[in-house]
């Protein structure tokens, strides 16, 4: 018995599934998917086969042509769920499992019509990363097993289903139900299985890119993301031809817990990116870059998550630099620096979670989630790039993509590849300090620009009366204002807040990065005029990136602590399970 992934019951002495055939019937009333999955092995197999499940009701297990076979669910593990062991007879090529999902399946969020923009129909979306695919489908839920898949999704008439796959047809069943069919021909890790069902419309952005959203949002989404084809072209310049055929995007209702999720062929996005001025499209650059770093070359387990995220953050900023210049990239790195410092602070009593090569046996990967694999990882990638020079590093990247395409690798495999292709580089940048030591190495690369320095000096002069001039206030782009706000002292007075709001009109901002940074400052300052807007944002948006700092800042004062609890009581039924857990964790740190 060998378990190479601490977050899966997958046994590497058993065969890997090669392909899944899914039949999913979506029942909004029961908040349940009734599913059947056929696991194909691409050859004969027999003996025990261990699958991951969590909260699933297993109804039957069959081998086609053979009939029902023996199966057994193991004890419940709070992180891993339950092992489903099948006893597979001699000569088996595929097994079929019929099952139902639990109403509280972590991968699935069921929204009532009121929780959508249109308020006309319910909505369902999945989020399988980190290890939640097993709450939607019994499978070998580890990136070490890559699967192609086909799917038939049965939904109520009038609703549309999309998946991390290409559509292959649809038909009305005439009984108030409609079937959508999909094919994902390339092998993907299970965490990239994805499904959404709702009232959806699409707009084409280029011959290979399209955006989906609720009808109420689709025009705004098409405008905001109109530049995506240009981004795809720039990303191809870095990594080589786009490997997934189409790049479509889906804008979800506001409870989506992440900024984006790189589901192949169908990136999922938060509607908080619809700033109305295209100022937040760096998240699209990020998800797009995952098409190579993450989806094509994948971390072997969540212990090597930095291989996905570090490379992707580096690539996101590289794309922004090509599109918008050095200053824009430097501001991106500065915002990342803030996120990195916040995460180092968040884990100051658990420094073992600030290394890149993590040891997560017995640890829920959602609890270990932070900006560290993203930002510390990106700094290691940038350090390597600086060490060997841009051109040589780009050639290395192409080789890396070629060598590991459609595979899932460990940090050790990465290091040994770098050792061969860029001998001495890991030692020169002291990679060990990033991979295995907590905190940030002193030698980490810095990213500076004149504009960034100006913003920093000005913000740091706030306590001495330094204020931006009218000309600066009028000229700053959204990212410049955001970096300025991030660099301000964390403890402002209510009078400081009033000044900022008056001069920057912060309360009415549609750019959520700016709005939430401002509201966090205001909550820190116990600034009462901001309370209604804080309430409004926390009731509407479930993106964890915003909930964590806002609820955290509300924990600083007696009356804001009470406010936080009151808002959470009202908002939590509308939050995704992941978001609810994060907020509960923050509130527990600041008892009433
Ligand atoms: Zn990412």
């Amino acid at each position: 018995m060998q378990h190479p992934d601490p977050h899966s019951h997958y046994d590497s002495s058993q065969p890997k599934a090669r392909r899944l055939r899914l039949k999913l019937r979506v029942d909004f009333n029961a908040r349940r998917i009734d599913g059947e999955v056929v696991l194909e092995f691409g050859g004969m197999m027999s003996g025990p086969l261990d699958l991951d499940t969590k909260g699933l009701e297993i109804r039957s297990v069959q081998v086609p042509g053979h009939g029902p076979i023996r199966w057994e669910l193991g004890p419940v593990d709070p992180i891993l769920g339950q092992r489903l062991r099948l006893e597979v007879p001699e000569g088996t090529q595929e097994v079929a499992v019929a099952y139902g999902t639990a109403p509280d399946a972590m991968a699935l969020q069921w929204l009532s019509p009121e929780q959508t923009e249109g308020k006309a129909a319910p909505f369902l979306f999945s989020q399988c990363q980190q290890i939640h695919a097993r709450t939607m489908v019994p499978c070998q839920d580890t990136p070490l097993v890559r699967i192609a898949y086909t799917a038939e999704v049965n939904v109520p008439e009038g609703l549309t289903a999309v998946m991390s796959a290409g559509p292959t047809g649809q038909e009305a069943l005439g009984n108030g139900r409609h079937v959508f069919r999909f094919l994902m021909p390339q092998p993907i890790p299970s965490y990239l299985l994805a499904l959404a069902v709702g009232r959806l419309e699409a707009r084409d952005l280029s011959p290979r890119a399209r955006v989906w959203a609720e009808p109420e949002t689709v025009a705004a989404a098409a405008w905001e993301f109109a530049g995506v084809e240009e981004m795809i072209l720039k990303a191809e310049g870095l990594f080589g031809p786009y490997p997934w055929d189409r790049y479509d995007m889906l804008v979800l209702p506001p409870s989506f817990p992440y900024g984006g999720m790189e589901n192949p062929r169908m990136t999922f996005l938060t509607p908080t990116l619809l700033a109305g001025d295209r100022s937040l499209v760096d998240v699209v650059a990020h998800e797009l870059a995952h098409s190579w770093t993450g989806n094509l070359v994948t971390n072997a387990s969540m212990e090597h998550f930095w291989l996905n995220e570090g490379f992707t953050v580096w690539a996101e900023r590289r794309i922004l630099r090509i599109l918008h210049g050095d200053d824009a990239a430097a501001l991106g790195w500065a915002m990342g620096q803030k996120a990195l410092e916040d995460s180092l602070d968040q884990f100051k009593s658990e420094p073992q979670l600030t290394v890149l090569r993590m040891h997560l046996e017995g640890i829920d990967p959602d609890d270990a989630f932070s900006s560290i694999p993203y930002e510390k990882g990106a700094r290691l990638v940038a350090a390597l790039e600086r060490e060997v020079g841009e051109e040589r590093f780009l050639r290395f990247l192409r080789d890396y993509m070629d060598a590991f395409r459609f595979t899932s690798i460990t940090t050790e495999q990465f290091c040994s590849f770098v050792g061969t292709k860029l001998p001495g580089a890991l030692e020169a940048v002291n990679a060990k300090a990033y991979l295995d030591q907590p905190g940030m190495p002193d030698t980490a690369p810095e990213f500076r620009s004149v504009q960034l320095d100006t913003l920093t000096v000005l913000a740091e002069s706030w306590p001495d009366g330094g204020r931006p001039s009218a000309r600066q206030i009028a000229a700053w782009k959204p990212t410049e204002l955001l970096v300025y706000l991030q660099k301000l002292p964390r403890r402002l007075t209510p009078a400081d807040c009033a000044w900022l709001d008056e001069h920057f009109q912060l309360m009415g901002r549609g750019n959520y990065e700016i709005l939430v940074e401002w509201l966090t400052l205001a909550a820190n300052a116990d600034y009462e005029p901001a309370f209604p807007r804080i309430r409004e944002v926390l009731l509407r948006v479930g993106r964890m990136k915003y909930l964590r700092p806002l609820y955290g800042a509300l924990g600083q004062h007696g009356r804001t602590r009470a406010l936080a609890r009151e808002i959470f009581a009202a908002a939590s039924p509308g939050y995704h399970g992941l978001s609810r857990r994060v907020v509960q964790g923050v509130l527990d740190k600041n008892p009433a």
Side-chain angles (χ1 to χ4, degrees):
M1 208 166 39
Q2 292 159 30
H3 293 117
D5 180 343
H7 296 119
S8 173
H9 290 105
Y10 164 63
D11 183 334
S12 57
S13 68
Q14 300 173 359
K16 295 178 178 180
R18 298 280 191 78
R19 204 160 87 113
L20 305 184
R21 299 202 306 270
L22 290 160
K23 274 189 191 166
L24 307 173
R25 187 180 187 283
V26 176
D27 184 339
F28 278 98
N29 293 325
R31 300 201 157 189
R32 188 180 66 225
I33 291 178
D34 295 299
E36 185 193 272
V37 58
V38 178
L39 299 102
E40 299 176 11
F41 294 93
M44 305 281 195
M45 68 152 306
S46 63
L49 177 74
D50 295 339
L51 303 179
D52 292 298
T53 75
K54 199 172 187 184
L56 296 179
E57 181 202 332
I58 303 299
R59 294 172 182 160
S60 76
V61 184
Q62 313 240 353
V63 169
H66 179 281
I69 60 167
R70 274 164 41 93
W71 55 273
E72 176 193 50
L73 277 172
V76 174
D77 178 284
I79 299 169
L80 300 188
Q82 280 175 291
R83 185 187 75 188
L84 173 61
R85 171 159 289 181
L86 315 182
E87 292 299 338
V88 179
E90 206 68 43
T92 295
Q93 302 202 40
E94 52 184 52
V95 291
V97 184
Y99 65 95
T101 60
D104 62 349
M106 195 56 114
L108 302 174
Q109 192 178 12
W110 302 87
L111 301 177
S112 65
E114 297 69 44
Q115 290 172 285
T116 66
E117 292 296 340
K119 313 210 182 301
F123 200 104
L124 165 69
F125 67 84
S126 70
Q127 170 61 37
C128 287
Q129 205 180 32
Q130 311 287 348
I131 54 168
H132 307 304
R134 66 195 65 179
T135 69
M136 185 166 92
V137 182
C139 61
Q140 293 162 314
D141 193 9
T142 168
L144 289 166
V145 177
R146 302 183 73 102
I147 36 136
Y149 76 88
T150 59
E152 232 181 80
V153 185
N154 177 315
V155 304
E157 191 68 68
L159 300 188
T160 299
V162 297
M163 292 193 82
S164 53
T168 52
Q170 54 168 297
E171 73 190 279
L173 298 179
N175 58 353
R177 308 287 300 183
H178 202 97
V179 164
F180 291 84
R181 295 194 180 82
F182 301 93
L183 166 69
M184 168 46 83
Q186 291 110 328
I188 59 165
S190 51
Y191 74 80
L192 292 177
L193 281 170
L195 166 71
V197 180
R199 252 173 87 244
L200 293 174
E201 255 181 52
R203 295 274 189 283
D204 281 335
L205 304 175
S206 84
R208 58 177 161 178
R210 177 178 297 164
V211 65
W212 290 86
E214 285 187 69
E216 291 72 18
T217 335
V218 74
W223 186 86
E224 202 82 30
F225 305 133
V228 70
E229 179 61 31
E230 210 185 333
M231 277 189 185
I232 301 175
L233 292 170
K234 302 302 178 214
E236 288 187 314
L238 291 178
F239 295 124
Y242 180 70
W244 302 92
D245 186 25
R246 291 197 59 85
Y247 185 76
D248 293 343
M249 295 171 280
L250 169 67
V251 178
L252 289 156
S255 67
F256 184 58
Y258 288 102
M261 179 64 210
E262 64 270 23
N263 300 315
R265 294 176 185 234
M266 189 61 74
T267 282
F268 282 16
L269 296 169
T270 166
T272 61
L273 302 182
L274 303 177
D277 58 8
R278 296 178 181 157
S279 57
L280 298 178
V281 291
D282 54 334
V283 175
V284 176
H286 181 97
E287 305 312 331
L288 171 64
H290 268 309
S291 304
W292 289 267
T293 51
N295 297 2
L296 189 61
V297 180
T298 308
N299 53 214
S301 76
M302 291 307 152
E303 295 190 320
H304 308 280
F305 190 46
W306 82 273
L307 284 173
N308 278 16
E309 296 303 343
F311 267 96
T312 302
V313 168
W314 172 86
E316 158 202 335
R317 300 205 177 121
R318 199 62 158 59
I319 293 169
L320 289 182
R321 202 182 98 199
I322 302 168
L323 287 174
H324 304 301
D326 288 343
D327 262 350
L331 292 175
W333 285 102
M335 289 184 266
Q337 183 69 29
K338 167 78 166 40
L340 176 60
E341 284 162 13
D342 288 351
S343 289
L344 289 171
D345 188 53
Q346 181 192 340
F347 286 129
K348 61 176 179 289
S349 58
E350 297 163 283
Q352 72 281 9
L353 296 180
T354 69
V355 302
L356 291 183
R357 181 168 19 203
M358 288 198 278
H359 302 281
L360 295 178
E361 186 84 47
I363 297 175
D364 188 328
D366 286 320
D367 292 340
F369 183 88
S370 79
S371 293
I372 286 159
Y374 293 74
E375 296 294 342
K376 189 178 180 181
R379 279 155 179 78
L380 171 55
V381 177
L384 286 169
E385 181 190 22
R386 285 188 183 184
E387 175 61 29
V388 304
E390 280 185 21
E391 257 183 55
R392 201 168 153 216
F393 190 71
L394 274 186
R395 280 201 304 277
F396 163 79
L397 268 185
R398 295 289 189 101
D399 290 345
Y400 176 58
M401 294 298 146
D402 281 348
F404 295 111
R405 53 193 287 120
F406 295 112
T407 66
S408 302
I409 65 167
T410 60
T411 303
E412 296 72 53
Q413 285 171 283
F414 167 76
C415 287
S416 111
F417 189 75
V418 180
T420 313
K421 295 285 174 181
L422 304 171
L426 289 171
E427 295 73 17
V429 304
N430 192 14
K432 219 175 152 23
Y434 294 82
L435 296 175
D436 301 317
Q437 289 164 20
M440 281 304 291
D442 303 333
T443 53
E446 286 185 35
F447 303 89
R448 301 199 33 196
S449 77
V450 175
Q451 179 58 345
L452 178 57
D453 288 346
T454 309
L455 293 167
T456 307
V457 169
L458 185 58
E460 285 172 356
S461 75
W462 182 277
D464 311 316
R467 298 290 181 271
S469 67
R471 202 169 53 82
Q472 285 170 313
I473 290 172
W476 281 350
K477 296 192 195 84
T479 29
E480 292 167 315
L481 171 57
L482 176 60
V483 168
Y484 174 73
L485 293 175
Q486 287 183 337
K487 300 260 176 199
L488 283 174
R490 292 298 90 185
R491 273 307 167 94
L492 298 174
T493 64
D496 292 334
C497 289
W499 191 96
L500 285 169
D501 189 27
E502 188 193 325
H503 288 83
F504 287 106
Q505 304 295 312
L506 294 167
M507 219 74 92
R509 291 278 169 164
N511 176 317
Y512 268 80
E513 293 289 318
I514 291 173
L515 180 64
V516 171
E517 187 63 32
W518 150 247
L519 293 176
T520 304
L521 282 168
N524 266 327
D526 197 21
Y527 181 60
E528 196 171 359
F531 293 177
R533 191 77 170 112
I534 291 173
R535 179 193 305 272
E536 202 183 315
V537 168
L538 292 177
L539 280 170
R540 175 178 153 77
V541 175
R543 187 174 171 189
M544 295 187 284
K545 182 185 185 189
Y546 298 150
L547 301 185
R548 193 179 278 113
L550 260 180
Y551 277 103
L554 290 173
Q556 305 303 307
H557 305 274
R559 67 170 170 174
T560 52
R561 274 201 290 281
L563 179 67
R565 285 183 160 65
E566 181 204 315
I567 295 174
F568 182 54
S572 90
Y575 287 163
H576 190 281
L578 290 167
S579 307
R580 211 175 297 136
R581 247 176 53 188
V582 160
V583 177
Q584 195 60 59
V586 172
L587 294 181
D588 290 347
K589 278 193 189 149
N590 299 301

